[in-house]
Amino acid sequence: MRTQVGIVGAGPAGLVLAHLLHLNGIDSVVVDRQTRDHVEKRIRAGVLEHGTVDLLTAAGLADRLLRERMVHHGVELLFDRVGHRVPLTELTGREITIYGQHELVKDLISARLDTERPLLFEAADVQVDGTELTFDVDGTQTTVECDFIAGCDGFHGISRAGIPSSALTVFEREYPHAWLGVLAQAPPASDELVYAYHDRGFALHSMRTPDITRLYLQVPADTDVADWPDARIWDELRTRLDRDDPRWQLNEGPILEKSVAAMRSFVVTPMQHERLFLAGDAAHIVPPTGAKGLNLAVADVAVLAEGFAEYYAGRGSGLLRRYSEICLQRVWRVQHFSWWMTSMLHRVDDDPFTRELQLSQLRYVTSSTAAATTLAENYVGFPMA
Ligand code: APR
Ligand code: PHB
């Protein structure tokens, strides 16, 4: 088999790239090691930047998203039992969209299938060797000769190893905490997301639909989800989200999904080597506090697709050569923002000095227009290239 771009991984990065290439008449083969069902049910993040939605809309990928999404114009920071709204749209003119990543992935898979270009799930033993992509589907080994490879196979994928370690620099920071996330069959208790700083640890009240709440608790990094029966989760959420407002009440309901996610900051540079390009989680991870992982993946492939379009239109490989350099500008801005949000909102130790600094920063961000605008501008995201 032959193709122009071999794409490893059918997450948001791989699928959006495949579609942008299709719109430019560029052929690709997408392979993923998981089943379609697994990929479509994997619960991940749910906040889309304004620019991400614009890009998906322009690509014709947002029909259901625009019908079913929840549009938010602010977020709330809760500390000392009082909520403080950051008016995102008032400060930036832009909004955010709440739409589950797995719902987006369903839409992307369906759009890919409509193009009748190849999308292969359950590919075993996926390997990249130069521009050769090999894998096993139903016991048959296939080799695809590609002009280029796009490594969109997430943090645990194999593509990154296609760049010799002598050519790679790895930047990494691990955090002593993780997020315990639950999806609950309960109407959100608030119209907007609530980021809560509490002496017992951070909590986040988010949502997916008018009937489904998404909630997170800061827990130690080595937490076993089995130690968190539902009643303990609700107790802790009630405590950390409580406030001096008699109208506030957390809505509880059956827990549909529960998992612990590690937190790390991670970047590899460069994000390319010869004809291999890394995009999304394969190249960088951010802690989830800034809600950026999916948006950064889409921003990468927007640049990559432009580069391929330029190349196949016979206009040279200038953009492809600068792919990593262009992406890393945004990657590091988002790394800083995600680290900053994480540092401001999580209890790390019993150090009273750190606590006072965090509270001072929270008071600053919620009282100074300049500081609130900095948060808002980063949170809603910068326009795509
Ligand atoms: N071979 C083929 N496919 C692979 C391999 C492999 N060896 N390893 C992983 N994959 C697949 C995974 O099954 C997954 O479907 O690659 C895909 C990677 O998708 P994501 O992990 O979703 O990564 P990405 O597309 O970069 O999306 C960005 O943003 O919200 C955050 O981390 C969250 O998934 C999100 C990410
Ligand atoms: C989510 O809804 O899953 C979510 C929202 C905001 C974040 C992270 C995750 O910062």
Side-chain angles (χ1 to χ4, degrees), residues 235-256:
D235 257 3
E236 197 62 32
L237 284 167
R238 270 195 307 272
T239 304
R240 295 192 198 177
L241 292 168
D242 202 17
R243 59 174 72 202
D244 292 335
D245 178 350
R247 290 163 305 172
W248 166 263
Q249 202 194 342
L250 180 63
N251 297 323
E252 298 179 24
I255 288 186
L256 310 171

mmCIF file of all heavy atoms in Angstrom, residues 235-256:
data_model
loop_
_atom_site.group_PDB
_atom_site.id
_atom_site.type_symbol
_atom_site.label_atom_id
_atom_site.label_comp_id
_atom_site.label_asym_id
_atom_site.label_seq_id
_atom_site.Cartn_x
_atom_site.Cartn_y
_atom_site.Cartn_z
ATOM 1 N N ASP A 235 -18.693 13.255 49.733
ATOM 2 C CA ASP A 235 -18.344 13.963 50.981
ATOM 3 C C ASP A 235 -17.275 15.006 50.730
ATOM 4 O O ASP A 235 -17.367 16.155 51.153
ATOM 5 C CB ASP A 235 -17.725 12.949 51.962
ATOM 6 C CG ASP A 235 -18.713 12.555 53.027
ATOM 7 O OD1 ASP A 235 -19.860 13.018 52.963
ATOM 8 O OD2 ASP A 235 -18.306 11.769 53.921
ATOM 9 N N GLU A 236 -16.228 14.541 50.031
ATOM 10 C CA GLU A 236 -15.072 15.409 49.797
ATOM 11 C C GLU A 236 -15.445 16.564 48.857
ATOM 12 O O GLU A 236 -15.027 17.707 49.059
ATOM 13 C CB GLU A 236 -13.938 14.556 49.215
ATOM 14 C CG GLU A 236 -12.578 15.183 49.289
ATOM 15 C CD GLU A 236 -12.079 15.459 50.721
ATOM 16 O OE1 GLU A 236 -12.422 14.694 51.646
ATOM 17 O OE2 GLU A 236 -11.375 16.471 50.893
ATOM 18 N N LEU A 237 -16.233 16.250 47.834
ATOM 19 C CA LEU A 237 -16.660 17.307 46.904
ATOM 20 C C LEU A 237 -17.513 18.344 47.625
ATOM 21 O O LEU A 237 -17.350 19.551 47.429
ATOM 22 C CB LEU A 237 -17.451 16.701 45.735
ATOM 23 C CG LEU A 237 -16.607 15.986 44.668
ATOM 24 C CD1 LEU A 237 -17.505 15.150 43.745
ATOM 25 C CD2 LEU A 237 -15.798 16.995 43.839
ATOM 26 N N ARG A 238 -18.431 17.851 48.477
ATOM 27 C CA ARG A 238 -19.287 18.786 49.231
ATOM 28 C C ARG A 238 -18.426 19.719 50.082
ATOM 29 O O ARG A 238 -18.656 20.920 50.146
ATOM 30 C CB ARG A 238 -20.270 18.016 50.117
ATOM 31 C CG ARG A 238 -21.604 17.685 49.429
ATOM 32 C CD ARG A 238 -22.657 17.252 50.446
ATOM 33 N NE ARG A 238 -22.198 16.165 51.297
ATOM 34 C CZ ARG A 238 -22.312 14.858 51.012
ATOM 35 N NH1 ARG A 238 -22.914 14.476 49.903
ATOM 36 N NH2 ARG A 238 -21.849 13.956 51.826
ATOM 37 N N THR A 239 -17.419 19.154 50.725
ATOM 38 C CA THR A 239 -16.549 19.961 51.595
ATOM 39 C C THR A 239 -15.765 20.994 50.784
ATOM 40 O O THR A 239 -15.741 22.178 51.114
ATOM 41 C CB THR A 239 -15.546 19.044 52.335
ATOM 42 O OG1 THR A 239 -16.294 18.061 53.030
ATOM 43 C CG2 THR A 239 -14.665 19.819 53.282
ATOM 44 N N ARG A 240 -15.118 20.524 49.711
ATOM 45 C CA ARG A 240 -14.210 21.435 48.985
ATOM 46 C C ARG A 240 -14.967 22.470 48.162
ATOM 47 O O ARG A 240 -14.424 23.530 47.859
ATOM 48 C CB ARG A 240 -13.280 20.626 48.079
ATOM 49 C CG ARG A 240 -12.338 19.723 48.853
ATOM 50 C CD ARG A 240 -11.255 19.162 47.959
ATOM 51 N NE ARG A 240 -10.603 18.005 48.553
ATOM 52 C CZ ARG A 240 -9.660 17.304 47.956
ATOM 53 N NH1 ARG A 240 -9.254 17.623 46.738
ATOM 54 N NH2 ARG A 240 -9.112 16.262 48.562
ATOM 55 N N LEU A 241 -16.193 22.159 47.765
ATOM 56 C CA LEU A 241 -16.939 23.111 46.923
ATOM 57 C C LEU A 241 -17.904 23.980 47.732
ATOM 58 O O LEU A 241 -18.602 24.832 47.180
ATOM 59 C CB LEU A 241 -17.720 22.348 45.829
ATOM 60 C CG LEU A 241 -16.853 21.668 44.755
ATOM 61 C CD1 LEU A 241 -17.694 20.712 43.907
ATOM 62 C CD2 LEU A 241 -16.185 22.709 43.844
ATOM 63 N N ASP A 242 -17.935 23.756 49.041
ATOM 64 C CA ASP A 242 -18.900 24.490 49.874
ATOM 65 C C ASP A 242 -18.581 25.994 49.878
ATOM 66 O O ASP A 242 -17.442 26.406 49.689
ATOM 67 C CB ASP A 242 -18.853 23.945 51.306
ATOM 68 C CG ASP A 242 -20.152 24.276 52.030
ATOM 69 O OD1 ASP A 242 -21.156 24.602 51.361
ATOM 70 O OD2 ASP A 242 -20.149 24.223 53.281
ATOM 71 N N ARG A 243 -19.615 26.789 50.079
ATOM 72 C CA ARG A 243 -19.431 28.241 50.045
ATOM 73 C C ARG A 243 -20.465 28.932 50.919
ATOM 74 O O ARG A 243 -21.491 28.339 51.267
ATOM 75 C CB ARG A 243 -19.532 28.741 48.608
ATOM 76 C CG ARG A 243 -20.885 28.397 47.984
ATOM 77 C CD ARG A 243 -21.050 29.023 46.619
ATOM 78 N NE ARG A 243 -20.227 28.375 45.607
ATOM 79 C CZ ARG A 243 -19.866 28.975 44.462
ATOM 80 N NH1 ARG A 243 -20.244 30.203 44.217
ATOM 81 N NH2 ARG A 243 -19.157 28.326 43.569
ATOM 82 N N ASP A 244 -20.197 30.193 51.234
ATOM 83 C CA ASP A 244 -21.113 30.965 52.079
ATOM 84 C C ASP A 244 -22.239 31.522 51.222
ATOM 85 O O ASP A 244 -22.361 32.726 51.037
ATOM 86 C CB ASP A 244 -20.362 32.115 52.765
ATOM 87 C CG ASP A 244 -19.366 31.598 53.788
ATOM 88 O OD1 ASP A 244 -19.574 30.477 54.301
ATOM 89 O OD2 ASP A 244 -18.377 32.307 54.050
ATOM 90 N N ASP A 245 -23.030 30.648 50.658
ATOM 91 C CA ASP A 245 -24.159 31.069 49.836
ATOM 92 C C ASP A 245 -25.251 30.031 50.068
ATOM 93 O O ASP A 245 -25.119 28.887 49.639
ATOM 94 C CB ASP A 245 -23.737 31.118 48.361
ATOM 95 C CG ASP A 245 -24.895 31.504 47.445
ATOM 96 O OD1 ASP A 245 -26.054 31.538 47.927
ATOM 97 O OD2 ASP A 245 -24.635 31.768 46.263
ATOM 98 N N PRO A 246 -26.314 30.420 50.774
ATOM 99 C CA PRO A 246 -27.331 29.438 51.148
ATOM 100 C C PRO A 246 -28.008 28.805 49.919
ATOM 101 O O PRO A 246 -28.582 27.721 50.017
ATOM 102 C CB PRO A 246 -28.336 30.254 51.959
ATOM 103 C CG PRO A 246 -28.015 31.689 51.711
ATOM 104 C CD PRO A 246 -26.601 31.763 51.255
ATOM 105 N N ARG A 247 -27.872 29.432 48.731
ATOM 106 C CA ARG A 247 -28.524 28.860 47.534
ATOM 107 C C ARG A 247 -27.670 27.767 46.897
ATOM 108 O O ARG A 247 -28.139 27.038 46.047
ATOM 109 C CB ARG A 247 -28.778 29.956 46.487
ATOM 110 C CG ARG A 247 -29.861 30.955 46.891
ATOM 111 C CD ARG A 247 -29.756 32.189 46.047
ATOM 112 N NE ARG A 247 -28.398 32.738 46.150
ATOM 113 C CZ ARG A 247 -27.912 33.736 45.434
ATOM 114 N NH1 ARG A 247 -28.634 34.316 44.536
ATOM 115 N NH2 ARG A 247 -26.668 34.167 45.607
ATOM 116 N N TRP A 248 -26.390 27.688 47.258
ATOM 117 C CA TRP A 248 -25.500 26.697 46.633
ATOM 118 C C TRP A 248 -25.781 25.295 47.158
ATOM 119 O O TRP A 248 -25.838 25.061 48.363
ATOM 120 C CB TRP A 248 -24.036 27.046 46.900
ATOM 121 C CG TRP A 248 -23.110 25.900 46.589
ATOM 122 C CD1 TRP A 248 -22.599 25.002 47.471
ATOM 123 C CD2 TRP A 248 -22.625 25.511 45.294
ATOM 124 N NE1 TRP A 248 -21.816 24.084 46.830
ATOM 125 C CE2 TRP A 248 -21.820 24.368 45.478
ATOM 126 C CE3 TRP A 248 -22.792 26.012 43.993
ATOM 127 C CZ2 TRP A 248 -21.177 23.714 44.423
ATOM 128 C CZ3 TRP A 248 -22.154 25.373 42.938
ATOM 129 C CH2 TRP A 248 -21.357 24.238 43.156
ATOM 130 N N GLN A 249 -25.951 24.360 46.259
ATOM 131 C CA GLN A 249 -26.060 22.966 46.667
ATOM 132 C C GLN A 249 -25.524 22.077 45.554
ATOM 133 O O GLN A 249 -25.948 22.203 44.398
ATOM 134 C CB GLN A 249 -27.516 22.609 46.963
ATOM 135 C CG GLN A 249 -27.586 21.401 47.867
ATOM 136 C CD GLN A 249 -28.969 20.789 47.923
ATOM 137 O OE1 GLN A 249 -29.952 21.437 47.559
ATOM 138 N NE2 GLN A 249 -29.041 19.542 48.358
ATOM 139 N N LEU A 250 -24.586 21.217 45.888
ATOM 140 C CA LEU A 250 -24.029 20.293 44.901
ATOM 141 C C LEU A 250 -25.082 19.241 44.564
ATOM 142 O O LEU A 250 -25.646 18.625 45.461
ATOM 143 C CB LEU A 250 -22.779 19.628 45.499
ATOM 144 C CG LEU A 250 -22.052 18.634 44.608
ATOM 145 C CD1 LEU A 250 -21.495 19.319 43.366
ATOM 146 C CD2 LEU A 250 -20.902 17.985 45.392
ATOM 147 N N ASN A 251 -25.363 19.053 43.290
ATOM 148 C CA ASN A 251 -26.325 18.011 42.900
ATOM 149 C C ASN A 251 -25.612 16.675 42.793
ATOM 150 O O ASN A 251 -24.608 16.563 42.102
ATOM 151 C CB ASN A 251 -26.971 18.376 41.554
ATOM 152 C CG ASN A 251 -27.773 19.658 41.656
ATOM 153 O OD1 ASN A 251 -28.411 19.918 42.672
ATOM 154 N ND2 ASN A 251 -27.727 20.475 40.616
ATOM 155 N N GLU A 252 -26.158 15.664 43.464
ATOM 156 C CA GLU A 252 -25.532 14.342 43.430
ATOM 157 C C GLU A 252 -26.368 13.394 42.582
ATOM 158 O O GLU A 252 -27.550 13.623 42.373
ATOM 159 C CB GLU A 252 -25.381 13.806 44.854
ATOM 160 C CG GLU A 252 -24.474 14.713 45.663
ATOM 161 C CD GLU A 252 -24.301 14.261 47.107
ATOM 162 O OE1 GLU A 252 -24.478 13.064 47.388
ATOM 163 O OE2 GLU A 252 -23.980 15.139 47.935
ATOM 164 N N GLY A 253 -25.711 12.332 42.110
ATOM 165 C CA GLY A 253 -26.425 11.346 41.298
ATOM 166 C C GLY A 253 -25.508 10.164 41.070
ATOM 167 O O GLY A 253 -24.358 10.181 41.519
ATOM 168 N N PRO A 254 -25.980 9.135 40.368
ATOM 169 C CA PRO A 254 -25.153 7.949 40.130
ATOM 170 C C PRO A 254 -23.838 8.313 39.433
ATOM 171 O O PRO A 254 -23.837 9.129 38.514
ATOM 172 C CB PRO A 254 -26.013 7.086 39.200
ATOM 173 C CG PRO A 254 -27.402 7.602 39.357
ATOM 174 C CD PRO A 254 -27.309 9.034 39.767
ATOM 175 N N ILE A 255 -22.750 7.712 39.903
ATOM 176 C CA ILE A 255 -21.446 7.946 39.276
ATOM 177 C C ILE A 255 -21.285 6.976 38.100
ATOM 178 O O ILE A 255 -21.347 5.766 38.264
ATOM 179 C CB ILE A 255 -20.326 7.831 40.324
ATOM 180 C CG1 ILE A 255 -20.401 9.063 41.250
ATOM 181 C CG2 ILE A 255 -18.957 7.733 39.652
ATOM 182 C CD1 ILE A 255 -19.301 9.200 42.266
ATOM 183 N N LEU A 256 -21.091 7.530 36.907
ATOM 184 C CA LEU A 256 -21.056 6.720 35.684
ATOM 185 C C LEU A 256 -19.646 6.267 35.330
ATOM 186 O O LEU A 256 -19.457 5.272 34.633
ATOM 187 C CB LEU A 256 -21.609 7.542 34.502
ATOM 188 C CG LEU A 256 -22.957 8.232 34.721
ATOM 189 C CD1 LEU A 256 -23.276 9.177 33.575
ATOM 190 C CD2 LEU A 256 -24.055 7.179 34.854
#
